[in-house]
Amino acid sequence: NETTVTEFILLGFSSNPALRLCLFTLFSVLYSATLIGNALVFVLICLDYRLHSPMYFFLCHLSIVDICYASNNVPHMLRNLLGQGKTISFAGCGTQIHLYLIFALTECVLLAMMSYDRYVAICHPLRYALIMNRRVCLTLAAVSWAFGFIFGTLQASLALHLPFCGPCEVDHFFCEILAVLKLACTDTTVNKVLIFAVCVCFLLFPLALILISYVHILATILRIRSAPGWHKTFSTCGSHLTVVSLFYGNAIFMYMGPGSGNSSGREKVLSLFYSLVSPTLNPLIYSLRNKQVKEALLKLQRRQRVFHSV
């Protein structure tokens, strides 16, 4: 198919200059927090040998996904809010769609892998090191990235091979696939069916596995009689459940809920959650309030003081 559209116009948010300036300030702070928080988690996990465990190995990959996810959408959105980046080339739009899908689908699988790690750690603690060995962790991480890349590429390719004859205004702050499909001058039923099928595979199926894992975890927790054991288990699993609830809940509501793809306002708000809120919260929920991570951070600060004093 041949496209007659060479660039798209991203409508973004309000046209009110004062509101756009407020949003620019807020989103800049959140984006900076996302980069700093996730980069800090990544560095701490790499530098401190005590954090070289399967749980932190997956958290490291989650930090990479969050940094890439936010950096794919937010910089162009900030330029748009300043009135400098409303247009985006067809190739640039295609790149945004492709990377957005890859990172979103990778995170879906990665969260399911993390729930399996928690299941093994709590339900089979004596066999944990044997089951979650280095080879298994690398395989699970590779599968997450491979699935995200393959299915993200498939969806993006089908969407970008549609004919776009105009109008070329995308009612969004980045090239989100549902918003772009509205501009195709042909039937997009096949694309929407594929999106729904991928949602079933990457949202409902992993979510079912996560819930099954936590049913077993809950049964194990109920057999723990010591208060410290309860506290440690709930602290570890509570963080993961919080992120899972926010991530999968919003994704299911956006892509599988009634009237999904029809409300541009709802799409923008939910996409903001994925692009900014979730990547900002993940380091705080998962890592930076964790005792081991706090100790690693204090150790790094002491090292810096010694280095500067020398």
Side-chain angles (χ1 to χ4, degrees):
N1 291 327
E2 194 172 315
T3 179
T4 56
V5 173
T6 58
E7 65 179 19
F8 292 102
I9 299 173
L10 300 173
L11 297 183
F13 296 96
S14 171
S15 57
N16 185 312
L19 179 58
R20 289 164 69 92
L21 183 60
C22 290
L23 291 176
F24 174 82
T25 304
L26 174 62
F27 296 159
S28 296
V29 171
L30 289 175
Y31 182 53
S32 300
T34 295
L35 296 182
I36 294 170
N38 284 286
L40 182 60
V41 169
F42 179 83
V43 170
L44 288 175
I45 292 172
C46 290
L47 292 180
D48 199 311
Y49 71 93
R50 293 173 299 176
L51 302 181
H52 292 177
S53 65
M55 181 178 76
Y56 293 107
F57 172 78
F58 291 118
L59 282 177
C60 200
H61 281 270
L62 185 64
S63 294
I64 295 171
V65 170
D66 283 340
I67 289 173
C68 295
Y69 205 9
S71 298
N72 179 47
N73 305 333
V74 178
H76 201 283
M77 177 186 70
L78 294 176
R79 288 181 60 213
N80 190 322
L81 287 170
L82 291 177
Q84 299 174 358
K86 278 187 172 291
T87 60
I88 184 170
S89 67
F90 186 84
C93 187
T95 301
Q96 274 197 344
I97 292 174
H98 191 193
L99 294 178
Y100 170 80
L101 291 171
I102 288 175
F103 298 132
L105 297 179
T106 299
E107 185 158 351
C108 287
V109 183
L110 196 58
L111 289 173
M113 300 301 184
M114 292 170 72
S115 73
Y116 175 70
D117 170 69
R118 293 299 84 209
Y119 160 74
V120 176
I122 293 168
C123 299
H124 304 282
L126 299 179
R127 299 171 56 202
Y128 179 66
L130 180 64
I131 297 174
M132 298 300 295
N133 57 60
R134 181 177 177 81
R135 183 178 177 182
V136 169
C137 291
L138 288 172
T139 301
L140 293 178
V143 166
S144 301
W145 284 100
F147 276 24
F149 179 80
I150 292 169
F151 287 94
T153 301
L154 175 63
Q155 281 199 83
S157 298
L158 288 175
L160 296 173
H161 278 82
L162 293 171
F164 295 93
C165 315
C168 55
E169 293 182 340
V170 180
D171 191 9
H172 215 291
F173 62 85
F174 79 105
C175 286
E176 197 275 329
I177 188 167
L178 292 178
V180 173
L181 284 179
K182 294 176 185 178
L183 306 183
C185 50
T186 188
D187 185 30
T188 58
T189 302
V190 174
N191 300 80
K192 290 177 180 177
V193 169
L194 177 62
I195 290 173
F196 187 83
V198 169
C199 285
V200 171
C201 295
F202 282 83
L203 291 176
L204 297 186
F205 183 63
L207 183 58
L209 293 178
I210 291 171
L211 293 177
I212 291 170
S213 297
Y214 275 98
V215 167
H216 288 284
I217 289 172
L218 181 60
T220 303
I221 290 175
L222 293 175
R223 292 196 294 267
I224 298 176
R225 299 189 179 280
S226 66
W230 272 72
H231 177 74
K232 183 179 179 181
T233 305
F234 274 117
S235 175
T236 304
C237 297
S239 300
H240 184 253
L241 274 176
T242 302
V243 173
V244 164
S245 301
L246 292 171
F247 185 86
Y248 285 97
N250 280 278
I252 291 171
F253 183 72
M254 181 173 178
Y255 290 102
M256 304 184 74
S260 58
N262 296 326
S263 173
S264 60
R266 183 180 70 175
E267 286 178 18
K268 290 177 187 178
V269 171
L270 293 177
S271 294
L272 266 178
F273 172 84
Y274 290 114
S275 300
L276 273 175
V277 180
S278 180
T280 305
L281 290 178
N282 281 351
L284 298 173
I285 294 173
Y286 264 125
S287 306
L288 298 180
R289 68 186 188 89
N290 183 288
K291 183 181 177 182
Q292 287 179 300
V293 175
K294 286 179 181 176
E295 291 175 353
L297 182 59
L298 290 173
K299 185 178 177 182
L300 181 63
Q301 289 175 334
R302 283 196 294 269
R303 266 193 212 168
Q304 286 181 324
R305 289 197 197 101
V306 170
F307 177 78
H308 287 304
S309 62
V310 172

